[in-house]
Every structure is written in C-alpha cells, then in structure tokens.
Amino acid sequence: MATRKKTAKMKTKAAAKKPAKKVVKLKAAKKAPAKNGKHATGNGLPRPSTKPYGQAGLALHGVKVLDFTHVQSGPTCTQLLAYMGADVIKVERPGVGDITRGQLRDVKGADSLYFTMLNGSKRSITIDSKHPKGKDILERLIKHCDVLVENFAPGALDRMGLTWDYVHKTNPRMIVASVKGFGPGPYEDCKVYENVAQCAGGAASTTGFREGPPLVTGAQIGDSGTGLHLALGIVSALYQRVRTGRGQRVLAAMQDGVLNLARVKLRDQQRLKHGPLTEYSQHGEGIAFGQATPRAGNDSGGGQPGWILKCKGWETDPDAYTYFITQAPVWTAICDLIGKPEWKTDPDYATPPARLPRLRHIFDTIEQWTMTRTKFEVMETCNKYDIPVGPILSMKEIAEEPSLRATGTVVEVDHPTRGKYLTVGNPIKLSDSPADVRRSPLLGEHTEEILRDVLGYSAKELADIKASGAITPPEKPAKAEAA
Ligand code: CAO
C-alpha cells in the first residue's frame, strides 16, 4: 500500500498552498522558584524530563487497578490501561475465573483466545469475594488501588458488599468505574450482551440493506466500544482527582456508547424533517424515505458518496472488493481513470448535486474498471491521484500484514499453555510511552505474589488464607477427583 508515499505527497502539497502566517512571539513564562528542586516551572508540573523519548516510564505507571471485569466490555478497558502501564490486578473466582477462559476454546486445556486477547498485561488473583477472608483481602486491595473497574450485572457488586459508600469510605480516592447495559431508566436492571447493545443503541436499525432485516456489525462496538469509553472516563477521573483529591463513579452504558458511535445516524434522523437524504442511494433510486433513518447498505455515512465495488477475482475470493469514494475534488481524475473523460463536462455528471441521483449508475461504471484490477492494484493506482479507496482486507490479510506488526498493532506473544498467539496491541500510539503488551495471566497466576508483595501478608497469614478456602476452589468430592 502506498499510504506513506501519499501522506508525504499530501504534506508537500499542503505546505505549498499554505499562506505565510504572521509569527507571533510568545513571551517566555516567568520561572517560578524551585521548590525542593522538583517543581520549578510554576504550573505544578515537574521540569520536562531529560530522558530520551520512550525512556521516561509508561503513561499510567503507578496507577493501580482492581479489575473485577469479565467477558469483553470491561476487559477491553482494563487491558488498554495495562498496555498504558497501569498495574491491573484481575480478581477471578477461584477454580472458575472469567467465563471466557473456557468459551470458544480452540486448544484443549488452554485459555481461549477470547480470554487471552482481552486480558494481556494483567495479573490474576483468585479470591472468593463472598468469603469472609476474601472480603478482608478485597478491603486491603481497595485501600491499595486507585481504580476499581467492573462490569457485573446490575446490583452484583452491591451484593458482594462493595457498595459505593463502602468503597468510598474505605478509600476516598478510589474511582469506581462500571460498564452497564443501560443508564438509569426503564432498562437499568437488564443484563446486556454485545448485540443487544448494538440493537438498543440504534446501530442495528441503520445497518444492512434496505430490503433486508437489521444487521449487527462484526466490530464489537457494544462491548469493546464501551470499554474504550470507560477507559477515557477513568483517565479523566484520575486527572480530576489530581485537583480534588477524591474519587468518583464513572459509568459507561453500552446503549450510550453505541449511540455515540452511531451519532451520524441520529444526525440523519433530524435531517429527515427537512427533506430526503440526498446522498443515500435510495434517493437516486426514487424510493421515498419513511419516518426513521433507513438502512443504507454500503453508502458512505459522510458527504462524499462511496460504495463497495468488486475487484479482480471476486468470483472466487469473498474479499476481493474495494471501498471507492467519489470524492468531489478528485472527480476529474476518476473520470480519466475509468475511461469516462466526457463526464468531466457533462452537466449530468460534472457536479456533486448532479451526480447524486445517478450514483448507482456511476458506481456500476466504476466497478467495470475496478473488476479489471486486484483490490491492491486499485489502491495503488488510485493513491497516485489522491482518490480515497480502501481494500476489503480479510482477517487473514490483517494477521499477515507486516506494517501492522511493525507498528505493534498486531503483536505475537507466547503463552505457557497455548503457545504463540496473535493479539491486538495498543491501537493508540504515545510518543513517550511505548505500549506494554504481554500475554494474559493463567488463572490465579499471581495470587501469592500479590498477597505477599503488594498486600504485605506474612507467610503465616498466607498459609491461613490458603487453608480458609478464600483463594482456592471448593474441595471436589473424592469421586469427581478420580474421574
Ligand atoms: N467471587 C465470588 N463471586 C463472584 C466473583 C468472585 N470472585 N466474581 C463474580 N462473582 C459472582 C457475582 O457476585 C455474581 O453473583 P450474584 O449474581 O449471585 O450476586 C455472579 O458471579 C455473576 O455475575 P453476573 O451476573 O455479572 O454474571 P452473568 O454471567 O450472569 O452475566 C453479563 C453476564 C455480561 C450479562 C452481566 O455481567 C452484565 O450484564 N454486565 C453488564 C453489561 C456488560 O458488561 N455486558 C457486556 C458483557 S460482554 O458481551
């Protein structure tokens, strides 16, 4: 892919076009007197580090997270915090653990990819949170940590005794962050999974083809999307705590998160009051709009019409397609490329409004051209003319794409029981904080280490805890053991 070349080209173009800006000289800020040699800039920040970039620790170094998450939404959030350098201590039920350890299992006896790809760089401690000794351990953890993250069903945390009042009294600085299916309202007590959120958040009603049923998308916008929202809430609360000294509750409801990602469709809902959505191909096909934002197939969600077009090999390869955007500024280049130079001046095609009712025909014509080239050839050729296109990459192609490995977006890690596997690294790149992407922990792998080194339990106390059953699975009957 010629993306780097394109960026360089675009930068040069932009620089050439930019008018010279008046240079405003800023007065240097007055130096504040150094207090204990550390805070010398007068704004509460330490002096800029003199260490080379990438060697001044990780962004969230020192942040301690008590991770009560399970399945996907919560773990997405805490994995990201761990990648950013937080010490994430995942609490799991003894002998059971996060239910996803055993779901969709591909290697017998090993943690599933479902689990391993959502729990990297964390430590695992097993605690029965309903056992009296387990509660004591949790109290120490609450005192030790900065953030408690959970995505239990509504009320489950309270039933464990970990109410906001209790946590806040135990550690007023602690941030308690939750994913729930819905915010306060008629559905707040409901359990929710990914696709329920996609439907309740408005995304499914606007996904798919007009003539078909609503569709969910493969991108986990309900779970992983909400996890990302929660992570931003946590980091913001940590920042506010620097000023206020106190923790707060952070709630990311899955319905809200999905709606936030589907906001352009709520935009279109409001536009409907003022007339048809002219950029939807349904408009060009003369089909009237109903009361609500319709499903728009592969229409572009923005102001530049686009569609998915077949490429060479589509008859046998289900992913031999490209997304093609007929961006207005490069329309003439498109016309030349596809062998329709007359469209540049034809009043039916020359302007964006004139093209809107003819989009189906335009894309069919462009497809005649894309079908003569592979999706990568289309990308290479179009990039030369700044025409925005994108190959439909299969997961196989993504897994094998060297540039994604080079940037750490796809990372291979080694696991003691399942061997090497691919995981998605940190998609957010910080120039001074390299991502810490490591394998997921085995169930309870760090229980003793955390009890001893983090919480300071003595050897004798550790033995008592073990004997109590608070960190170990309940004894199995002898018959079951023999089986
Ligand atoms: N020790 C003892 N008990 C533990 C424990 C531990 N370490 N960890 C969990 N438990 C218990 C909880 O206390 C709870 O018990 P009670 O209901 O008896 O109080 C129980 O395990 C299960 O919790 P749950 O209700 O959250 O789990 P579930 O499998 O029934 O539901 C889910 C799963 C995802 C539907 C629900 O958690 C939920 O709606 N979460 C909020 C929304 C969400 O995050 N959904 C996305 C999930 S990813 O698709």
Side-chain angles (χ1 to χ4, degrees), residues 166-191:
Y166 166 78
V167 174
H168 188 60
K169 207 167 145 212
T170 308
N171 177 1
R173 293 169 68 79
M174 177 161 261
I175 290 152
V176 178
S178 305
V179 168
K180 293 289 166 262
F182 294 92
Y187 307 119
E188 65 186 312
D189 292 330
C190 300
K191 284 185 176 179

Short mmCIF file of all heavy atoms in Angstrom, two decimals, residues 166-191:
data_model
loop_
_atom_site.label_atom_id
_atom_site.label_comp_id
_atom_site.label_asym_id
_atom_site.label_seq_id
_atom_site.Cartn_x
_atom_site.Cartn_y
_atom_site.Cartn_z
N TYR A 166 -19.37 2.01 50.74
CA TYR A 166 -18.32 1.23 51.42
C TYR A 166 -16.95 1.53 50.80
O TYR A 166 -15.98 1.81 51.52
CB TYR A 166 -18.64 -0.27 51.33
CG TYR A 166 -17.46 -1.13 51.69
CD1 TYR A 166 -17.10 -1.34 53.03
CD2 TYR A 166 -16.66 -1.72 50.70
CE1 TYR A 166 -15.98 -2.10 53.36
CE2 TYR A 166 -15.56 -2.47 51.01
CZ TYR A 166 -15.22 -2.66 52.35
OH TYR A 166 -14.11 -3.40 52.67
N VAL A 167 -16.89 1.49 49.48
CA VAL A 167 -15.60 1.69 48.81
C VAL A 167 -15.09 3.10 49.09
O VAL A 167 -13.92 3.30 49.43
CB VAL A 167 -15.73 1.45 47.28
CG1 VAL A 167 -14.44 1.81 46.57
CG2 VAL A 167 -16.11 0.01 46.98
N HIS A 168 -15.99 4.07 48.99
CA HIS A 168 -15.58 5.47 49.16
C HIS A 168 -15.10 5.72 50.59
O HIS A 168 -14.14 6.48 50.80
CB HIS A 168 -16.76 6.38 48.80
CG HIS A 168 -16.39 7.82 48.75
ND1 HIS A 168 -15.43 8.31 47.89
CD2 HIS A 168 -16.82 8.90 49.47
CE1 HIS A 168 -15.30 9.62 48.08
NE2 HIS A 168 -16.13 9.99 49.02
N LYS A 169 -15.77 5.07 51.56
CA LYS A 169 -15.35 5.23 52.95
C LYS A 169 -13.98 4.56 53.16
O LYS A 169 -13.12 5.09 53.85
CB LYS A 169 -16.40 4.57 53.86
CG LYS A 169 -16.47 5.19 55.24
CD LYS A 169 -17.71 4.73 55.98
CE LYS A 169 -17.35 4.59 57.44
NZ LYS A 169 -18.08 3.57 58.12
N THR A 170 -13.81 3.40 52.55
CA THR A 170 -12.56 2.65 52.72
C THR A 170 -11.39 3.37 52.04
O THR A 170 -10.28 3.40 52.55
CB THR A 170 -12.72 1.23 52.11
OG1 THR A 170 -13.91 0.65 52.66
CG2 THR A 170 -11.53 0.35 52.42
N ASN A 171 -11.65 3.93 50.86
CA ASN A 171 -10.60 4.65 50.13
C ASN A 171 -11.24 5.81 49.36
O ASN A 171 -11.70 5.63 48.23
CB ASN A 171 -9.86 3.71 49.16
CG ASN A 171 -8.82 4.44 48.35
OD1 ASN A 171 -8.61 5.64 48.50
ND2 ASN A 171 -8.15 3.70 47.47
N PRO A 172 -11.28 6.99 50.00
CA PRO A 172 -11.98 8.13 49.35
C PRO A 172 -11.37 8.53 48.01
O PRO A 172 -11.99 9.25 47.24
CB PRO A 172 -11.82 9.26 50.38
CG PRO A 172 -11.37 8.62 51.64
CD PRO A 172 -10.70 7.34 51.30
N ARG A 173 -10.17 8.07 47.75
CA ARG A 173 -9.51 8.43 46.49
C ARG A 173 -9.84 7.46 45.36
O ARG A 173 -9.47 7.67 44.21
CB ARG A 173 -7.99 8.47 46.69
CG ARG A 173 -7.55 9.59 47.63
CD ARG A 173 -6.10 9.44 48.02
NE ARG A 173 -5.20 9.67 46.89
CZ ARG A 173 -4.86 10.86 46.43
NH1 ARG A 173 -5.35 11.94 47.00
NH2 ARG A 173 -4.04 10.98 45.42
N MET A 174 -10.54 6.39 45.71
CA MET A 174 -10.77 5.36 44.68
C MET A 174 -11.85 5.77 43.67
O MET A 174 -12.91 6.28 44.03
CB MET A 174 -11.15 4.03 45.33
CG MET A 174 -11.45 2.97 44.30
SD MET A 174 -11.38 1.32 44.96
CE MET A 174 -9.76 0.79 44.46
N ILE A 175 -11.55 5.48 42.41
CA ILE A 175 -12.50 5.70 41.32
C ILE A 175 -13.20 4.37 41.06
O ILE A 175 -12.52 3.33 40.94
CB ILE A 175 -11.75 6.20 40.07
CG1 ILE A 175 -11.24 7.63 40.33
CG2 ILE A 175 -12.62 6.13 38.82
CD1 ILE A 175 -10.00 7.98 39.56
N VAL A 176 -14.51 4.38 41.01
CA VAL A 176 -15.25 3.13 40.75
C VAL A 176 -15.91 3.24 39.38
O VAL A 176 -16.80 4.06 39.16
CB VAL A 176 -16.33 2.88 41.85
CG1 VAL A 176 -17.11 1.60 41.53
CG2 VAL A 176 -15.67 2.76 43.22
N ALA A 177 -15.42 2.43 38.47
CA ALA A 177 -15.85 2.56 37.07
C ALA A 177 -16.64 1.33 36.64
O ALA A 177 -16.20 0.20 36.86
CB ALA A 177 -14.63 2.74 36.18
N SER A 178 -17.78 1.56 36.03
CA SER A 178 -18.67 0.45 35.66
C SER A 178 -19.13 0.53 34.22
O SER A 178 -19.43 1.62 33.72
CB SER A 178 -19.93 0.47 36.53
OG SER A 178 -19.61 0.46 37.90
N VAL A 179 -19.24 -0.65 33.61
CA VAL A 179 -19.99 -0.78 32.36
C VAL A 179 -21.32 -1.41 32.73
O VAL A 179 -21.36 -2.40 33.47
CB VAL A 179 -19.27 -1.70 31.35
CG1 VAL A 179 -20.20 -2.04 30.19
CG2 VAL A 179 -18.01 -1.05 30.82
N LYS A 180 -22.38 -0.83 32.24
CA LYS A 180 -23.71 -1.46 32.39
C LYS A 180 -24.36 -1.42 31.01
O LYS A 180 -23.93 -0.68 30.13
CB LYS A 180 -24.57 -0.68 33.40
CG LYS A 180 -24.04 -0.76 34.83
CD LYS A 180 -24.22 -2.14 35.46
CE LYS A 180 -23.40 -2.31 36.73
NZ LYS A 180 -22.12 -3.00 36.56
N GLY A 181 -25.40 -2.22 30.85
CA GLY A 181 -26.08 -2.24 29.56
C GLY A 181 -26.77 -0.92 29.27
O GLY A 181 -26.65 -0.35 28.18
N PHE A 182 -27.48 -0.42 30.27
CA PHE A 182 -28.25 0.82 30.11
C PHE A 182 -27.93 1.77 31.26
O PHE A 182 -27.56 1.34 32.35
CB PHE A 182 -29.76 0.52 30.15
CG PHE A 182 -30.24 -0.32 28.99
CD1 PHE A 182 -30.28 -1.70 29.09
CD2 PHE A 182 -30.64 0.29 27.80
CE1 PHE A 182 -30.73 -2.48 28.02
CE2 PHE A 182 -31.08 -0.48 26.73
CZ PHE A 182 -31.12 -1.86 26.84
N GLY A 183 -28.13 3.04 31.01
CA GLY A 183 -28.03 4.02 32.08
C GLY A 183 -29.32 4.02 32.89
O GLY A 183 -30.24 3.22 32.62
N PRO A 184 -29.44 4.93 33.87
CA PRO A 184 -30.66 4.98 34.68
C PRO A 184 -31.89 5.13 33.79
O PRO A 184 -31.88 5.86 32.81
CB PRO A 184 -30.45 6.24 35.53
CG PRO A 184 -28.98 6.43 35.57
CD PRO A 184 -28.44 5.93 34.27
N GLY A 185 -32.95 4.40 34.14
CA GLY A 185 -34.17 4.43 33.32
C GLY A 185 -34.84 3.07 33.35
O GLY A 185 -34.51 2.22 34.19
N PRO A 186 -35.77 2.87 32.42
CA PRO A 186 -36.59 1.66 32.49
C PRO A 186 -35.82 0.35 32.35
O PRO A 186 -36.28 -0.69 32.78
CB PRO A 186 -37.57 1.85 31.32
CG PRO A 186 -36.97 2.87 30.43
CD PRO A 186 -36.14 3.75 31.30
N TYR A 187 -34.64 0.40 31.72
CA TYR A 187 -33.93 -0.86 31.46
C TYR A 187 -32.69 -1.04 32.32
O TYR A 187 -31.87 -1.91 32.06
CB TYR A 187 -33.54 -0.94 29.98
CG TYR A 187 -34.70 -0.73 29.03
CD1 TYR A 187 -34.70 0.31 28.13
CD2 TYR A 187 -35.81 -1.57 29.07
CE1 TYR A 187 -35.77 0.51 27.26
CE2 TYR A 187 -36.88 -1.38 28.22
CZ TYR A 187 -36.85 -0.33 27.32
OH TYR A 187 -37.92 -0.13 26.48
N GLU A 188 -32.52 -0.19 33.32
CA GLU A 188 -31.23 -0.18 34.04
C GLU A 188 -30.90 -1.51 34.72
O GLU A 188 -29.74 -1.78 34.98
CB GLU A 188 -31.17 0.96 35.05
CG GLU A 188 -32.15 0.86 36.18
CD GLU A 188 -32.11 2.13 37.05
OE1 GLU A 188 -31.02 2.56 37.42
OE2 GLU A 188 -33.19 2.66 37.35
N ASP A 189 -31.89 -2.35 35.00
CA ASP A 189 -31.62 -3.61 35.69
C ASP A 189 -31.34 -4.76 34.72
O ASP A 189 -31.17 -5.90 35.15
CB ASP A 189 -32.80 -3.98 36.60
CG ASP A 189 -32.91 -3.00 37.76
OD1 ASP A 189 -31.86 -2.49 38.18
OD2 ASP A 189 -34.04 -2.75 38.23
N CYS A 190 -31.32 -4.48 33.44
CA CYS A 190 -31.18 -5.58 32.46
C CYS A 190 -29.73 -5.97 32.24
O CYS A 190 -28.84 -5.14 32.21
CB CYS A 190 -31.76 -5.14 31.11
SG CYS A 190 -33.50 -4.73 31.20
N LYS A 191 -29.56 -7.28 32.03
CA LYS A 191 -28.26 -7.79 31.59
C LYS A 191 -28.15 -7.53 30.09
O LYS A 191 -29.15 -7.63 29.37
CB LYS A 191 -28.18 -9.29 31.82
CG LYS A 191 -27.95 -9.69 33.26
CD LYS A 191 -27.77 -11.19 33.35
CE LYS A 191 -27.46 -11.61 34.77
NZ LYS A 191 -27.31 -13.06 34.90
#
